[in-house]
Amino acid sequence: MSAAEDPRALDPDYDSHGGFPNFEPATPGPGFGRFLTAMRRAQDLAVSADADAATWDRAAELAEELAGLLGPFEAAEGVGPANRVPSLPGAGSLLMPPYKVVIFESDGVELEVEFSRFSVGGNYAVHGGVLPLLFDSVFGMVIHAAGRPISRTAFLHVEYRKVTPIDTVLTARGWVREVEGRKAFVNAELRDPDGNLLAEANGLMIRLLAGQP
């Protein structure tokens, strides 16, 4: 990245706005990837299983045991590996649907993303409220890829074109449409394997001033 593209050249306080942590890649070991895979499956089953009372009691015991195991290791933002392992789906964050970054360039980003049963809103379609979460994350990646300083979402508008399916690899794209000083107007879209437009979004990302959280 050249000096002209370095956000620190535009913003000397880039690393300290609002106390944002510096998210360096984490290397937690293969157990973390196995843990995420199991947890994603557990999330799907938590919203789809129809077990008997004894099984739910046992599941609760195991969940409580897991919470007790990990409780002593709770860490501050930017310290734990979640969201800091680019090689894992969703960068290692259970908050996000599993995605893989395919393109990360100054003129735009592209992701492959696959929703599962956990994200269903009804009739096996992805819940409408999940898509803004995806688009907001895409916007953040777009800003970073474009070399813009740390920014916050001022608004995000989503238009739903078709039902978004689960268990299908979809393509999400995002790019900066226009820049006006601290403002970056961004666009994003989500398409199915046949190229059909499922949803599109536009938003405004505003560069933080010194001291803004």
Side-chain angles (χ1 to χ4, degrees):
M1 181 178 289
S2 67
E5 297 172 320
D6 186 350
R8 291 167 183 80
L10 297 173
D11 180 9
D13 295 320
Y14 178 88
D15 291 316
S16 60
H17 280 163
F20 265 79
N22 292 318
F23 287 95
E24 298 295 334
T27 54
F32 182 65
R34 289 173 51 209
F35 168 76
L36 288 176
T37 298
M39 286 296 295
R40 290 191 189 281
R41 180 58 178 153
Q43 286 180 321
D44 287 338
L45 290 170
V47 299
S48 62
D50 184 19
D52 56 42
T55 300
W56 284 125
D57 284 339
R58 180 59 179 146
E61 291 172 358
L62 291 172
E64 290 164 357
E65 182 180 345
L66 176 60
L69 174 67
L70 293 177
F73 300 96
E74 187 170 2
E77 182 184 9
V79 177
N83 204 38
R84 297 200 299 124
V85 189
S87 61
L88 292 177
S93 173
L94 287 173
L95 175 66
M96 298 301 303
Y99 66 77
K100 179 177 69 174
V101 178
V102 178
I103 297 174
F104 191 84
E105 298 177 350
S106 59
D107 59 351
V109 301
E110 180 177 314
L111 282 64
E112 290 181 349
V113 59
E114 184 173 357
F115 297 96
S116 64
R117 185 70 180 272
F118 182 67
S119 295
V120 166
N123 202 23
Y124 290 95
V126 174
H127 193 293
V130 174
L131 296 188
L133 171 65
L134 172 66
F135 284 134
D136 196 36
S137 294
V138 170
F139 287 172
M141 294 181 201
V142 166
I143 292 298
H144 185 52
R148 296 277 300 175
I150 293 173
S151 304
R152 286 280 195 186
T153 308
F155 71 75
L156 188 162
H157 176 78
V158 178
E159 296 189 20
Y160 302 90
R161 301 303 188 185
K162 293 176 69 72
V163 168
T164 299
I166 63 171
D167 301 327
T168 304
V169 178
L170 309 173
T171 300
R173 297 186 180 89
W175 61 94
V176 176
R177 184 180 76 251
E178 183 181 357
V179 173
E180 295 179 4
R182 292 172 56 211
K183 299 178 180 180
F185 297 90
V186 292
N187 282 53
E189 63 181 25
L190 183 68
R191 293 183 181 270
D192 68 15
D194 295 323
N196 295 308
L197 182 63
L198 304 176
E200 57 187 334
N202 64 82
L204 170 61
M205 305 293 287
I206 299 184
R207 174 174 62 83
L208 294 180
L209 297 174
Q212 282 189 306

